[in-house]
Amino acid sequence: MNQMLLSRKAACNIHGQDSSYFLGWQEYEKNPYDPITNPTGIIQMGLAENQLCFDLIESWLENHPDPAAFKKDGALLFRELALFQDYHGLPAFKRALAKYMGEVRGNKVAFDPNRLVLTAGATSANETLMFCLAEPGEAFLLPTPYYPGFDRDLKWRTGAEIVPIHCSSSNGFRITKPALEAAYQDAQKRSLRVKGVLVTNPSNPLGTTLTRHELDILVDFVVSKDIHLISDEIYSGTNFDSPGFISIAEATKDRNNVSHRIHIVCSLSKDLGLPGFRVGAIYSENEAVVSAATKMSSFGMVSSQTQYLLAALLSDKEFTDKYLLENQKRLKERHDMLVEGLRRIGIGCLKGSAALFCWVDMRHLLKSNTFKGEMELWKKIVYQVGLNISPGSSCHCDEPGWFRVCFANMSEDTLTLAMQRLKSFVDSGDCGSNHDSGHQRPRKTFLTKWVLRLSSTDRKSER
Amino acid sequence: MGIPGDEILSRVATGDGHGENTSYFDGWKAYDNDPFHPIHNPNGVIQMGLAENQLCLDLMRDWIRKNPQASICTKEGVSEFEAIANFQDYHGLPDFRKAIAKFMEKARGGRARFDPERIVMSGGATGAQETIAFCLANPGDAFLIPTPYYPAFDRDFRWRTGVQLLPIRCHSHDNFKITEAELAAAYRKARDSKIRVKGILITNPSNPLGTTMDRETLRTLVRFANEERIHLVCDEIFSGTVFDGPEYVSVAEILQEDPSTCDGDLIHIVYSLSKDLGVPGFRVGIIYSYNDAVVSCARRMSSFGLVSTQTQLLLASMLGDDDFTTDLLAESRRRLMHRHRAFTAGLEGVGIRCLQSNAGLFCWMSLKPLLKDATAEGEAELWRVIVNEVKLNISPGSSFHCTEPGWFRACFANMDEETMETALRRIRTFVRRANDAATAAKTKKRWDTSLRLSLPRRFEEMTVLTPRLMSPRSPLVQAAT
């Protein structure tokens, strides 16, 4: 194939789909677990989906047949919906979405539907914001570890760059002022003009929420550098535990003159578990951003059929109240099940309170404290143990040995089986733990800073 | 233009590349401010600038009523809800791809075969065009495009991609067909300016012309692309709207009839359901490429504009219903032909000529006789009168990059028959008044000449035309209504 025929974008690798994150998916696709037809297949723990609450939505649909069947008061609305291609979106849907966003944030802030831009998923929202805020070659700072898909969404077709804000396990991967400054300097050294910071809150892959302090230093930082702050809050409805979720909207509501640089991304793919419907949105108080992004949304709008259905669903306060509570409850139960299951194997996690996964510490299982060691361990877990989990390196983590493990996209039985498989693997000693005691010491001194739950028997295998 | 907060945005965001400050969209704004409604606003602006197909929505609505299982949200279909809502694979639902491929074959009378594995989704044809540009060209590269062309290509193909569009001039004396001479000239001109041409973009059937491309011209284009080793992107979005002869020829057929004529790696089709089915709200765009690497790349890029699975399921079911699609296509063509004939006959009745066409949702009409000046300004002036006083939003040829002033595109499939009749009545009134005014001005001129008054130059230049045509330079166009 003559590569010159295509564009550079087509020929390059920035879309990142040759990375381990996606390779794990491919392996799963070739050999997917099924309790009956393929019980030894690979269990998908690399996909952050929320499959815990479909029954709630299904029962709502059964009780509200009208919106489902394109009807309003019995009359078929098919024609109107089929023709509706206004990129401002269905007003009823934006109103419902704005209301829902407020509810997810405990109604501590209200959202104006006119400041919403609908996009085909958060994937499209993030790319669109990059097109609006950065020239090709300009950079956004992102705390590591971060969602692997950002390499595609933020950089691929936009030509923008990502410069990492290094976060470490030493303080629970929190964002610090020195780290922000260091990242900014790194960008300068690379002659990259920084246009903003992008954070995911709740965090993917950490499963933690940003503290008020972190939010404040972020805002101070972007103000001092005169740059933007994008807050990807697509997991906002998956907060299931304390300390609770604070939106950037809440953190800035009493601050003057910052709203024009704050932009929020949301989606219904995680909260409601509807990734197939491609519903994303940008929320900004910056008129110019809303205006430009709205025009760009022509390239990826939300199907009017879907807008209509979800307008009805989300404007039903009784439903959304019940859903948010029940969703949190089920997520917490499932999360706790995973954490406990790992604990019994001597594996700890970063203490998480949101999202659909745990950030799991398998450093003690590495043969060598290197990314090569991490890859070796990952391959064993995918091919031998049959679990597709995501290695920290695919999330640009600085330290080898961390893995993202999803828990909300499978049944309880499947999760139990996954833990059994992992236990067998660890017990067999096949993983090859780290014999170099020198590497053990530093980790243990930080035990007080985050929770590492180990039983006394497990401590022995750690050495 | 400074919108508050735009100082810290990119050039792409603050520039005019979205094209929404052009006349094409001005007419829309006039309509939005004063939209026609038969009961609530009978004197409002009639929207004739939107190429929508509203003629067969009743057939689809009836199908939906009879097929509740096609919706995941009905009692009959809710069992599929979880699987569908959760499905985000960018390959799309297999049944959806199969149904699209089958429908595309049917729209081409079964003369072309389409492989479902090559069907790639996008956010409408808008998203498809942009994606294809991203796949095939680097910033600064160019595609050649015959004029006149759909205005929004300037946005779709160029805005965020940095790719250029360079015109292949087409002229009314050729019925706006692409000639080899003009094609070669455009290519040479680009090369002389050191611009790298990556391909040619055509729309077949044509927007705004409403014509289908003849086999010879298609072969010429394919041959040219092959010889120069550049791409040929064919937007076939109106392929299902061909209501009359000559028979439609898709580029797929050219490739099929003799695969050796061209390297398939250079041929790409853009498609959508927005025109054939009239469902622009569902955002169904399709890229069909014969180039494996493009299929692969476009599929990855489709993450930025996938079709909602709720919609995929509905359409997979609808388009998978063979009997239904056969009837739908046939009925759609019949209704379009009927509407086209009624509209063009109505125009002919007041001496307005349309380019002979056999497809699309509009006609390309010549209002040259009504122009004060046969210039772009003259066209713009006439257009303002038609929008603001005759209250019809039709689209001026200049917005389509037409090189000859006086051509306008008028859409006829986005309204019911009564509204079309109202539009024709307004046109008749306008033309007759203008004719009367022209005649009166001519009479006045004779008197004035005999009185030896000195007149402005334009009166002296007025030519006498048949009663059915207006003076091209009548100063009374503005006073016509």
Side-chain angles (χ1 to χ4, degrees), chain A residues 406-424:
Chain A
C406 300
F407 56 73
N409 62 318
M410 62 190 73
S411 68
E412 268 189 42
D413 289 342
T414 308
L415 186 55
T416 306
L417 174 63
M419 292 298 98
Q420 280 165 8
R421 287 186 186 179
L422 195 55
K423 186 171 196 309
S424 308

Side-chain angles (χ1 to χ4, degrees), chain A residues 5 7-8 15 17 49 51 54 68 76 78-79 82 84 87 131-132 135 156 228 275-276 286 303-306, chain B residues 5 8 10-11 20 54 61 64 71 73 82 85-87 90 134-135 138 231 280-281 300 308-311:
Chain A
L5 261 190
S7 66
R8 284 187 293 270
H15 52 72
Q17 292 198 204
E49 276 173 3
Q51 297 186 17
F54 281 122
L76 263 183
F78 172 73
R79 189 176 177 280
F84 186 84
Y87 58 25
F131 272 121
C132 287
E135 308 293 350
W156 189 17
H228 296 276
N286 185 321
S303 171
S304 57
Q305 181 192 13
T306 301
Chain B
I8 42 175
S10 67
R11 283 187 290 273
E20 291 191 23
Q54 296 187 17
R61 187 196 59 211
I64 286 172
S71 165
C73 313
E82 184 172 336
N86 206 45
F87 185 86
Y90 60 24
F134 271 127
C135 287
N138 295 315
H231 295 279
R300 288 170 177 169
S308 167
T309 45
Q310 178 191 14
T311 301

Side-chain angles (χ1 to χ4, degrees), chain A residues 1-10 12 15 17-18 25 29 47 49-51 54-55 57-58 61-62 64-65 67-70 76 78-79 81-85 87 120 123-124 127-128 130-136 152-153 156-158 195 226-228 260-261 270 273-278 286-289 291-292 295-296 298-307 309, chain B residues 3-14 18 20 50 52-54 57 60-62 64-65 71-75 78-79 81-82 84-90 122-123 126-127 130-131 133-139 155-156 159-161 196 198 229-231 263 265-266 278-283 291 293-294 297 300-301 303-312 314 318:
Chain A
M1 173 64 228
N2 184 353
Q3 283 299 345
M4 286 307 288
L5 261 190
L6 303 198
S7 66
R8 284 187 293 270
K9 288 183 176 79
C12 74
H15 52 72
Q17 292 198 204
D18 302 326
W25 281 33
E29 303 276 315
L47 193 49
E49 276 173 3
N50 182 356
Q51 297 186 17
F54 281 122
D55 58 311
I57 300 178
E58 280 159 5
L61 288 170
E62 274 155 22
H64 298 81
F70 288 117
L76 263 183
F78 172 73
R79 189 176 177 280
L81 286 175
L83 293 172
F84 186 84
Q85 56 174 328
Y87 58 25
T123 300
S124 179
E127 190 196 43
T128 295
M130 279 299 118
F131 272 121
C132 287
L133 304 178
E135 308 293 350
R152 171 198 60 194
D153 303 349
W156 189 17
R157 307 190 308 178
T158 62
K195 287 311 275 289
D226 191 20
I227 58 180
H228 296 276
H260 62 290
R261 28 177 114 254
K270 310 298 179 183
L274 308 173
F277 288 2
R278 313 315 304 146
N286 185 321
E287 259 182 69
V289 170
S291 172
K295 296 182 172 87
M296 289 189 190
S298 299
F299 299 111
M301 286 159 53
V302 180
S303 171
S304 57
Q305 181 192 13
T306 301
Q307 289 189 52
L309 172 69
Chain B
I3 305 180
D6 76 352
E7 327 76 45
I8 42 175
L9 302 201
S10 67
R11 283 187 290 273
V12 157
T14 52
H18 49 71
E20 291 191 23
L50 191 51
E52 271 179 358
N53 184 356
Q54 296 187 17
L57 292 168
M60 292 194 288
R61 187 196 59 211
D62 291 342
I64 286 172
R65 235 189 227 131
S71 165
I72 36 164
C73 313
T74 56
K75 194 169 56 191
V78 77
S79 57
F81 180 81
E82 184 172 336
I84 293 296
N86 206 45
F87 185 86
Q88 57 177 327
D89 182 344
Y90 60 24
S122 60
T126 301
E130 188 190 55
T131 294
F134 271 127
C135 287
L136 304 180
N138 295 315
R155 172 197 61 192
D156 302 349
W159 187 22
R160 306 191 304 182
T161 61
R196 188 163 169 216
K198 282 315 281 287
R229 200 118 182 89
I230 60 177
H231 295 279
D263 182 357
D265 281 346
L266 301 172
V279 291
F282 292 175
R283 313 315 303 148
N291 181 322
V294 172
C297 181
R300 288 170 177 169
M301 289 187 180
S303 298
F304 298 111
L306 294 171
V307 177
S308 167
T309 45
Q310 178 191 14
T311 301
Q312 286 186 48
L314 174 70
M318 193 189 284

